[in-house]
Amino acid sequence: MIRLTVGWDEGGGLVDAYERFLAGERIEDVGGAVRTPILTSWQRCKSLGLVPDQLSLTYEQDLDLDGRLLSAATPVLDRVAAALDGPPVSVILTDAQVHVLSRQAGDAELNRCLDAAQIVQGFGFPEYSAGTNAAGTALAERRPVHVQGREHFADCMLPLACGAAPIRHPLSGRVEGVVNLTCFRRQSDPMMLSLARQAAGEIEQRLLEQSSQRERELLAAFLRTRRAAGGPAGPLGEPLPGLAPAAGSIDRIDQAVLREKAQELIASPHRVATEVTLSGGRTAVLLCREVRAPSGEAGIVVEAAIPSGPQCRIPVPSGPALSAASTLVTEATPPSVAVTTPWHPAGTEATAAGPTAQIKKQQTEAEVQGTAQQPAAEPEQAPSQGPAADQGQAVPTAEAATAAPTTPAGQVPQTHAGLLLLGEPGVGRLALLARKRLELLYDASVGIGRTLDVTRTAEELVEAVVPRFADFVAVDLPDSVLRGEEPTDIGEGLRRVALGAVREDSHLYGAGEKISWLPASPQARCLETGRPVLEPELSRAVDWVANDPRRSRKVLESGVHSLITVPMRARGVILGVVSFYRAEGLGAFEDDDLWLADELVGRAAVCIDNARRFTREHTMALALQRSLLPRGLPVQNAVEVAHHYLPAPTGVRGDWFDIIPLSGTRVALVVGDVVGRGVHAAVTMGRLRTAVHNFSALDLPPEDLLARLDDLVARLDADSEGNGGIIGATCLYAVYDPVSQRCTFARAGHPPPALVLPDGTVDFVDQTAGPPLGLGGLPFEPYEVEVPEGSQIVLYTDGLIEHRGQDVDTQLNLLRRTLGATGPAARSPEETCAAVLDALLPAPAHPSDDVALLVARTHALGAERTVHWGVPADPAAVPLVRAAVTEHLEKWDLVEQAPITELIISELVTNAIRYGGEPISLRLIRDHMLICEVTDGSSTSPRLRQARTTDEGGRGLFLVAQLSERWGARYTADGKVIWTEQPLPPDGSDGSV
C-alpha cells in the first residue's frame, strides 16, 4: 500500500500574489511568491482572455474508449487506485487533447467536487480553455506538473490539488495522454507527482509491448502466407540449401544497405519496389506488400531478391502489371523480373526515386521449381483510390517484362531471396525520421562553426536546417554578443542576425532588424526559463500574435503554422534565441522535434560563444595594436609618407610600421612582423617598436640597431622560460638622408623593399638578408643606395605577398608591375598604397595575415639650405666661425637666432678643438628646425654633468642642452657628430628660404 500524508502547503502569500497578478501588477512584483511554471501558465491564460469564474470547457462525445491508450492504461491505473492508502485520491486519464477518458477511485465527497468542476468523462481541460490545471499545463509544458489550491487559474478548482504527467508514445515520442492524480488541497501530498510519473512510465512500456505483439502477429501471418505459397521463408543473409556458400551469403555491409533501403520503402506511401546496387556488381530487388494478421492488424513486409550468378538488371516493362498485394519473393530459384511504375493520386506526379520492380508470375512450374504461383492482374484493370490507397499501399500500373534474364547457357541464374524487414508504415516512418535526424545532427556538427565569426556561424545554422527541418529559421542575438561582450542587454531587445527561408514571402522580421518580444511570447518565455517552447498550432499562440498583430497575420496567411523557440545557451549563459517555423511543406512540430531543435541550437551555441569570445579577444588585440601603432605622422621634410594597416580577419598579428625622425633631417623607415596572433603578438609588437625607438635615439647605423634588437629579442625569449616568449620576428630598418639623397637598408629575415625611381623603374633592394630576430650568430649587412628626389620607397610585411596557393615570386612580379604602371611623380604615396592593395588583395578577398604597407616619396634638401665650414684645430678660429655663422643667419633671415646659435657654436667648436681630433667641421642646416652639427675625428663620447659651484669648467654641454630643443651625438666611421636643434620662428617654420 502507498500511504499519502499531508505535505504540501499553500503559504507564502500565494492568494495575495494571484489577486495582484489579476489586477495587472508587474510580473517582477509577484514572481517571488509564485513558482515559475505556474506564473508562466498564468501569463498564458491571461493573454488568452480567460476569466477565473467563467470558463468554457469543451466536450467530446466520440471518445476512443477501445483504443490502445485506454487498453494499455487501465491495468496500470487499477493497480495505482488499489495501492493508494490514506486520503482519498482520484485517478484520472485523459487523451492528447486533455479530454477525460476515465476516472476512478476517490470517495463520495471528492467525486462530488469533481462532478461540480465537470471533471468527468468527455469534458476537456486544455490550458487554453480551462486555465492553469495539472493535466492541461502538463500537456502545455510537456513535463510533469503539480498544481494545488490557488495555483489553479479557475475558481472551481480552488479546493483541489493535482499531480499530472504526460504519456508519450515510446516510438514517436508524441504525447498520447495524461495521468492525473487529484485530491483535496488540504490532503495533498508531494508523492502524488511521483506516482503520476511512475504510472505514465508503466503505460508507455505497455504501449511498447503492444507494438511488439502486433509485430509478432504480422510476422506469423507472413510466414503462414509464404508456406502456403510453397516456398521457405528464411531471413536474408543465411546460406540457402543447395547453393555454394559464396553464392548464398551476403556480407554485413550489403545487409546494412538493404535494411536502410527497406526502411525507406516501408516509410514511402507510393512505392512497392526498388532496386539496390550491392558490392561485386550485384543488384538486389526489394519488394514490399501488405500483410494482415488474423486480429486485423495491418503491416508491411519487405523481401529481397539477389541474383547470385551473372549480374541481373531489370528489363524494360512490356506486359501487364501484377497487383502489389499478390507479389511474393521466392527463395529457391529466381523469378522473372519486370519494371513497374508506382501509381500516384490524381493531380500528383511520380518522383523518379529509382527503378521499381515486381516479380512476374512464372508461366509454368516446370520452368523453375518452388516458385509461388500468383494470379496476374487483368490488363484492363485500372487503379482506384480505394482502401489500398488509404492505407498508403502503392498500386502498380506498368507492364511486366515478357522474359526473364538468363545466363549465357540459357539458364535462369540462381537468386538469394528472403525476408528483409517487417513493420508498420508508421514505424517505418519513425525509423526513417530518426535516421534523418541523426544525419542532420552530423551535417550540422560538420557545417556549423567553420569560422570564428558570430554572424557567419548563425548563417551556417540556418543553412544546415532549412529546408530539412524547418521552412524558416531565425537567429536573434543581442548587440553585445555581436560585439564580443557578455549578453547583458537581452532585455533591451534582440537583433535578427540570420534568417533562413525557403521563399521570400514569409513576412518575418528580416536580418538586421531590432526585435522586442512581449513577456508572454514564446521567445520571451524560452529566454526566461532557459527551456525550448513548442507551439504546434501557431495560430493559437495568442502572445506571439499580439507581439505584432499585423505582421503575425501576414505570417499566418503565408502558410506558417508551427513554431519552436529554443534559447541559445552555452556554458550556462543565454546568448539569444532561435525560432524554427514550418509552413505547408512540412507537418506540425512534434515533441521529438523539440529535442532535435534543442540539440541543434546547443551545438550552434557553443560555436557562437567561441566566436563571441574570439571577437572579444580580437577586438581587444586590435585596439591594443592600434594604440601601439603610430597615430599620426611626425613632423619632418625628408619624405612624404602614406601607410595602411589591414588586420587579418582571423586574428590580430604583430605587424607594425614606424616613421622616426633622426638628427640631421634624416628619417628612419621601419616595418616589422611578429610571429603569432592575438594579444600576445600585439604586446610583443609594442615592446619591439619601443625598443626600436630607443635604439634609434642613439643614432645607430641600421645594421647595429638590428644587432641590438636581435640581442634584446634573444634575452626576452630566454627570460620567458618557454612561456609567452617571442617565437620569432622580422624587421626592416632604413635610414634616408635628404642632404646626401642616399638611403641605407638593413633587414632581419624581412621581405626586400621596393625602390621606384622617378622614371618608373622598379628595383627590389635585395641585399643579403640577415636571420630573423632572436636567432643570433650572423651579422646584419647594410646596403646603401642613391635615391633620386621624387623616388618612392615601398616597405611591406609578408602578408602582402604571401598567400595560400600562390607563389611568392608571382606576387613580387605583380607588385613590380603595379608600382611601375605609372611613375611615382604621377601619383601620391596614398594613391600608390591604394593601387598596391587593389592589385595584390582584390576584393572581396581577405588577407590571411596582417598587412602593413608603408610608401615614402623622397625629397631632397637643396644646397641653399645647408652650409659647411672646415675648422682648423686652433682656438683662435672660434671667433671667425662665430662671425661666419652670424653672417649666414642674416642671409636666412634668422637674426633672432644668432645670439643663441653663436653661443652653441662657440661651445661645441671649442670642445672639439680641445678634446677632439682633426678633421673638424661645422654644418648648419635649415629645415623645420635650425640644426648645428660639429664633426671631429675623435670617438670620445661627450658627457653632460652638473658642475659644482667651485668648478671652473663643466658647464658647456649643460648650457647647450638648456639653449637647444634637442641635442645629441652620433658616431661615424671617421669620428663623431655633436648636433643641436633649435626651433625656428613661426614665419620660417616650414624650412623655406
Side-chain angles (χ1 to χ4, degrees):
M1 301 295 288
I2 302 174
R3 176 168 293 279
L4 299 180
T5 59
V6 178
W8 282 344
D9 188 14
E10 195 184 80
L14 179 61
V15 176
D16 179 62
Y18 177 79
E19 296 296 336
R20 286 189 289 129
F21 172 80
L22 292 181
E25 291 194 21
R26 295 187 310 167
I27 302 300
E28 295 80 2
D29 297 336
V30 301
V34 187
R35 292 183 292 126
T36 300
I38 301 301
L39 183 60
T40 303
S41 177
W42 285 0
Q43 290 177 274
R44 292 196 294 264
C45 296
K46 188 176 181 181
S47 64
L48 290 169
L50 300 183
V51 180
D53 58 352
Q54 297 178 7
L55 297 183
S56 178
L57 301 180
T58 61
Y59 181 76
E60 177 63 44
Q61 290 182 339
D62 298 329
L63 296 176
D64 187 8
L65 300 180
D66 297 325
R68 299 176 181 177
L69 174 62
L70 195 58
S71 63
T74 299
V76 177
L77 301 183
D78 290 343
R79 288 198 301 272
V80 172
L84 291 174
D85 184 24
V89 176
S90 181
V91 183
I92 303 170
L93 175 69
T94 74
D95 60 12
Q97 287 73 42
V98 206
H99 290 102
V100 177
L101 295 178
S102 69
R103 192 188 82 189
Q104 52 183 301
D107 62 0
E109 182 183 5
L110 178 60
N111 289 330
R112 283 194 300 270
C113 181
L114 295 178
D115 292 341
Q118 294 185 318
I119 305 178
V120 295
Q121 190 178 75
F123 279 93
F125 292 86
E127 188 183 72
Y128 59 81
S129 63
T132 305
N133 66 92
T137 304
L139 182 64
E141 295 283 340
R142 260 63 179 179
R143 62 189 180 95
V145 172
H146 73 269
V147 181
Q148 60 170 348
R150 188 63 276 177
E151 290 181 337
H152 290 94
F153 192 81
D155 292 340
C156 63
M157 299 183 186
L158 182 62
L160 302 176
C162 312
I167 303 170
R168 298 178 184 272
H169 193 280
L171 296 178
S172 67
R174 184 176 59 252
V175 175
E176 298 286 341
V178 179
V179 175
N180 185 5
L181 301 184
T182 303
C183 68
F184 284 115
R185 178 187 61 191
R186 63 181 183 273
Q187 297 170 337
S188 61
D189 192 300
M191 188 176 291
M192 290 198 310
L193 186 63
S194 299
L195 289 177
R197 186 185 294 111
Q198 181 180 352
E202 294 181 6
I203 296 172
E204 291 171 357
Q205 181 62 34
R206 288 184 58 82
L207 288 174
L208 181 62
E209 293 173 357
Q210 286 182 354
S211 298
S212 301
Q213 179 61 30
R214 290 196 300 273
E215 288 182 355
R216 286 193 291 270
E217 293 178 358
L218 292 174
L219 179 60
F222 166 76
L223 294 177
R224 286 194 298 270
T225 304
R226 292 294 286 113
R227 294 190 184 97
L236 186 69
E238 295 183 357
L240 302 177
L243 294 179
S249 60
I250 303 175
D251 59 39
R252 294 183 177 180
I253 296 179
D254 286 344
Q255 291 185 38
V257 171
L258 290 173
R259 289 192 181 95
E260 179 180 355
K261 294 298 181 181
Q263 291 175 1
E264 295 180 359
L265 201 58
I266 287 181
S268 175
H270 301 302
R271 295 174 62 190
V272 294
T274 188
E275 185 181 74
V276 183
T277 301
L278 303 178
S279 60
R282 294 183 298 174
T283 301
V285 180
L286 304 185
L287 302 101
C288 70
R289 64 186 179 89
E290 183 182 279
V291 61
R292 287 187 178 273
S295 62
E297 299 290 347
I300 298 294
V301 64
V302 177
E303 300 172 276
I306 306 174
S308 57
Q311 181 175 348
C312 174
R313 302 295 295 179
I314 302 177
V316 178
S318 58
L322 300 181
S323 170
S326 65
T327 303
L328 284 178
V329 178
T330 60
E331 184 174 356
T333 50
S336 300
V337 182
V339 174
T340 67
T341 303
W343 169 79
H344 294 267
T348 62
E349 294 181 0
T351 302
T356 58
Q358 77 173 35
I359 305 302
K360 181 185 176 184
K361 176 187 174 184
Q362 298 301 314
Q363 301 299 326
T364 60
E365 291 186 5
E367 294 181 9
V368 181
Q369 294 291 331
T371 303
Q373 304 299 314
Q374 298 295 333
E378 296 297 330
E380 65 272 13
Q381 203 170 11
S384 62
Q385 298 185 15
D390 294 337
Q391 297 168 4
Q393 178 179 342
V395 182
T397 59
E399 298 179 349
T402 56
T406 60
T407 63
Q411 298 177 353
V412 177
Q414 290 182 323
T415 299
H416 184 188
L419 173 64
L420 183 60
L421 191 67
L422 185 144
E424 299 177 69
V427 176
R429 183 185 70 87
L430 295 174
L432 188 62
L433 284 176
R435 191 178 75 249
K436 289 184 176 180
R437 285 167 176 158
L438 291 176
E439 292 174 354
L440 178 58
L441 281 177
Y442 172 78
D443 294 341
S445 300
V446 174
I448 300 175
R450 290 177 293 183
T451 67
L452 287 173
D453 181 79
V454 173
T455 301
R456 181 57 195 146
T457 304
E459 292 172 350
E460 289 171 347
L461 170 61
V462 302
E463 290 171 1
V465 171
V466 176
R468 299 169 63 181
F469 178 69
D471 294 308
F472 306 96
V473 178
V475 181
D476 304 329
L477 302 174
D479 290 335
S480 57
V481 171
L482 299 177
R483 296 192 299 266
E485 304 170 1
E486 294 293 332
T488 56
D489 56 346
I490 290 183
E492 300 175 5
L494 304 178
R495 189 169 302 279
R496 181 139 296 174
V497 179
L499 175 65
V502 294
R503 61 176 188 268
E504 299 296 331
D505 61 343
S506 65
H507 302 286
L508 296 169
Y509 290 102
E513 293 190 57
K514 194 70 177 287
I515 308 171
S516 296
W517 299 105
L518 293 177
S521 63
Q523 286 82 359
R525 279 156 42 203
C526 79
L527 287 174
E528 181 181 358
T529 62
R531 299 174 56 245
V533 174
L534 170 63
E535 294 289 352
E537 296 183 36
L538 193 55
S539 59
R540 305 178 72 170
V542 179
D543 292 301
W544 178 84
V545 175
N547 197 79
D548 190 342
R550 180 178 299 179
R551 183 186 294 270
S552 299
R553 284 194 296 270
K554 292 181 179 180
V555 171
L556 294 174
E557 291 171 359
S558 69
V560 177
H561 59 79
S562 189
L563 167 68
I564 287 179
T565 61
V566 183
M568 184 167 284
R569 184 176 55 252
R571 300 176 177 92
V573 177
I574 295 180
L575 304 175
V577 63
V578 181
S579 302
F580 300 87
Y581 298 88
R582 279 185 177 177
E584 299 96 334
L586 297 171
F589 284 116
E590 301 176 354
D591 290 326
D592 278 0
D593 296 321
L594 198 67
W595 167 85
L596 178 60
D598 194 22
E599 186 69 21
L600 286 169
V601 174
R603 300 188 183 198
V606 174
C607 298
I608 285 184
D609 191 52
N610 291 337
R612 178 189 66 84
R613 291 166 178 258
F614 172 80
T615 300
R616 179 181 59 188
E617 180 181 342
H618 179 75
T619 303
M620 293 172 54
L622 185 59
L624 175 62
Q625 187 176 46
R626 291 195 181 279
S627 69
L628 296 175
L629 289 173
R631 297 189 178 184
L633 298 177
V635 178
Q636 50 83 31
N637 293 325
V639 292
E640 178 187 354
V641 177
H643 57 82
H644 276 265
Y645 172 73
L646 296 178
T650 57
V652 175
R653 267 73 168 183
D655 293 19
W656 93 92
F657 62 91
D658 221 331
I659 304 100
I660 306 174
L662 302 177
S663 63
T665 69
R666 298 172 306 144
V667 64
L669 306 175
V670 191
V671 290
D673 187 4
V674 175
V675 177
R677 68 173 67 182
V679 175
H680 176 67
V683 171
T684 302
M685 177 273 292
R687 299 168 75 181
L688 294 185
R689 180 170 177 259
T690 302
V692 170
H693 268 268
N694 291 332
F695 292 148
S696 65
L698 302 177
D699 267 326
L700 297 174
E703 65 276 15
D704 292 346
L705 185 142
L706 290 183
R708 295 201 178 193
L709 195 62
D710 180 67
D711 291 340
L712 175 64
V713 171
R715 289 199 305 272
L716 291 176
D717 192 49
D719 294 342
S720 67
E721 297 181 353
N723 184 18
I726 301 177
I727 301 175
T730 65
C731 184
L732 189 153
Y733 188 85
V735 176
Y736 172 69
D737 188 347
V739 176
S740 64
Q741 298 183 35
R742 300 189 69 82
C743 187
T744 304
F745 299 89
R747 58 193 181 105
H750 204 82
L755 180 61
V756 187
L757 300 179
D759 61 358
T761 303
V762 180
D763 291 326
F764 287 103
V765 186
D766 198 9
Q767 88 280 11
T768 303
L773 298 175
L775 297 182
L778 294 177
F780 299 98
E781 297 293 337
Y783 184 82
E784 188 173 359
V785 61
E786 184 176 354
V787 181
E789 184 178 9
S791 302
Q792 287 187 351
I793 303 173
V794 181
L795 283 66
Y796 52 90
T797 56
D798 57 358
L800 183 68
I801 60 173
E802 295 181 2
H803 305 292
R804 187 175 302 172
Q806 297 182 2
D807 184 64
V808 174
D809 292 336
T810 302
Q811 294 296 102
L812 287 175
N813 290 332
L814 178 58
L815 177 61
R816 183 193 300 272
R817 292 194 302 271
T818 303
L819 293 174
T822 58
R827 58 186 177 190
S828 65
E830 187 68 35
E831 294 172 338
T832 300
C833 281
V836 168
L837 294 177
D838 290 342
L840 277 78
L841 300 172
H846 296 286
S848 58
D849 194 1
D850 284 14
V851 175
L853 177 62
L854 183 65
V855 178
R857 181 159 63 186
T858 62
H859 298 301
L861 202 62
E864 71 279 2
R865 296 166 64 181
T866 65
V867 61
H868 181 274
W869 294 277
V871 180
D874 185 358
V878 176
L880 300 176
V881 172
R882 285 201 302 265
V885 168
T886 302
E887 180 181 358
H888 207 84
L889 290 178
E890 291 176 354
K891 294 180 181 179
W892 283 350
D893 197 18
L894 297 176
V895 178
E896 295 181 1
Q897 275 68 34
I900 296 177
T901 305
E902 286 182 2
L903 182 58
I904 292 174
I905 292 298
S906 177
E907 188 64 37
L908 293 181
V909 171
T910 301
N911 285 343
I913 294 173
R914 181 178 297 180
Y915 303 111
E918 294 184 308
I920 301 174
S921 63
L922 170 64
R923 184 170 70 167
L924 289 183
I925 302 174
R926 181 181 181 180
D927 193 41
H928 65 286
M929 305 281 284
L930 178 61
I931 302 171
C932 302
E933 294 184 343
V934 176
T935 305
D936 67 78
S938 172
S939 299
T940 304
S941 174
R943 184 170 63 92
L944 179 66
R945 65 187 182 91
Q946 185 75 36
R948 292 173 295 185
T949 56
T950 57
D951 292 342
E952 296 183 358
R955 296 176 178 86
L957 284 181
F958 179 77
L959 291 176
V960 170
Q962 296 299 314
L963 296 174
S964 61
E965 184 82 13
R966 291 198 311 153
W967 79 279
R970 69 174 182 269
Y971 296 90
T972 65
D974 301 324
K976 67 176 180 295
V977 178
I978 308 297
W979 56 269
T980 65
E981 291 182 356
Q982 300 170 246
L984 294 178
D987 58 346
S989 60
D990 59 351
S992 61
V993 178

